[in-house]
Amino acid sequence: MQVDLLAGTSHRPPMMPERRPTLLLFDSGLGGLTVLSEVVRARPDADIVYVADDAAFPYGRLSEAALVERVLAVMERLVARFHPDLVVIACNTASTLVLPALRARFPIPFVGTVPAVKPAAERTRSGLVSVLATPGTVARDYTRGLIESYAGGCEVTLVGATGLAALAEAALKGETIEDGAVLAEIAPCFVEREGKRTDVVTLACTHYPLLLARLRRLAPWPVEWIDPAPAIAR
């Protein structure tokens, strides 16, 4: 039997290059860069847009209503411009408040960043866990709900660091920051109770891992610091 190879191939549509997914990472400042590095490692096939809303940094100074309004307005512009397939809100302060509104407004997936309370509770041996966060994240009902759901058997200390995110931004920009200023922000995380000590501190702000080497050096005693970035990327 004679086969016409030309006829057999002439009806195939031309092969189209596979479209690369577009991921949008959003934060109030530069803290989300800690998440960006993990996302780049996990999805080298993606086009990634990083946006820092530094005009409104830090988000913790905004009221809840103002924060929701701000993030929705900025996201409207970003989605219209970049058409992302998925958005990562690389900010605990925003995620613990704005995610429901974002998911209701836009028909695309949103990945949030929330305090890693569950893994902290699973890893502690002393039962003393600290959540190092911004004052806004500490005040959220969402954060307290995580503690009730996943850390009922632990003593959880919520520490609202007022200036640590700004110190992290300054350090990333090459500015000099004093050890004493950093230590004052993290000191409340270290609790001693009935012969036990805090042994796990979860970093509930994406800015804080920028200072991780310094946090380890200044800690009154060794603890496990939980960086949420790998879990967010997964």
Side-chain angles (χ1 to χ4, degrees):
M1 182 175 67
Q2 197 172 26
V3 178
D4 187 344
L5 294 178
L6 289 177
T9 58
S10 62
H11 298 292
R12 290 183 182 178
M15 293 190 65
M16 300 293 291
E18 187 175 346
R19 191 181 74 85
R20 291 167 61 89
T22 298
L23 308 180
L24 172 65
L25 270 70
F26 177 80
D27 186 24
S28 61
L30 302 178
L33 293 175
T34 60
V35 179
L36 175 64
S37 62
E38 293 293 335
V39 173
V40 169
R41 186 176 293 111
R43 292 303 303 263
D45 61 315
D47 292 325
I48 301 175
V49 179
Y50 183 87
V51 177
D53 185 19
D54 53 2
F57 177 81
Y59 274 174
R61 64 182 175 82
L62 301 178
S63 69
E64 293 191 357
L67 180 57
V68 172
E69 182 179 1
R70 172 76 185 183
V71 174
L72 287 176
V74 173
M75 195 58 61
E76 287 275 8
R77 295 162 55 192
L78 294 176
V79 169
R81 179 175 177 181
F82 297 109
H83 307 287
D85 297 290
L86 179 144
V87 178
V88 178
I89 305 298
C91 173
N92 284 265
T93 303
S95 293
T96 54
L97 182 65
V98 187
L99 279 175
L102 288 170
R103 288 167 175 159
R105 177 76 64 90
F106 303 99
I108 53 178
F110 283 84
V111 176
T113 307
V114 298
V117 171
K118 183 178 180 181
E122 291 171 346
R123 297 180 193 180
T124 181
R125 295 184 177 182
S126 69
L128 299 181
V129 170
S130 290
V131 177
L132 182 60
T134 64
T137 298
V138 164
R140 299 280 186 263
D141 289 339
Y142 189 100
T143 302
R144 299 178 187 278
L146 289 174
I147 294 170
E148 292 176 4
S149 297
Y150 300 113
C154 301
E155 181 177 332
V156 180
T157 300
L158 290 169
V159 179
T162 58
L164 195 58
L167 290 171
E169 292 245 344
L172 187 63
K173 294 172 183 176
E175 300 174 17
T176 299
I177 61 172
E178 299 296 330
D179 282 352
V182 176
L183 182 56
E185 296 280 352
I186 69 172
C189 294
F190 293 84
V191 177
E192 293 186 87
R193 192 95 67 217
E194 298 176 354
K196 297 180 179 180
R197 288 177 164 182
T198 301
D199 61 354
V200 178
V201 178
T202 182
L203 300 174
C205 173
T206 53
H207 281 75
Y208 299 166
L210 294 171
L211 295 172
L212 187 53
R214 193 181 296 231
L215 299 182
R216 287 175 173 149
R217 176 169 60 81
L218 295 175
W221 57 78
V223 297
E224 179 179 0
W225 303 88
I226 297 182
D227 176 1
I232 299 165
R234 286 195 297 272

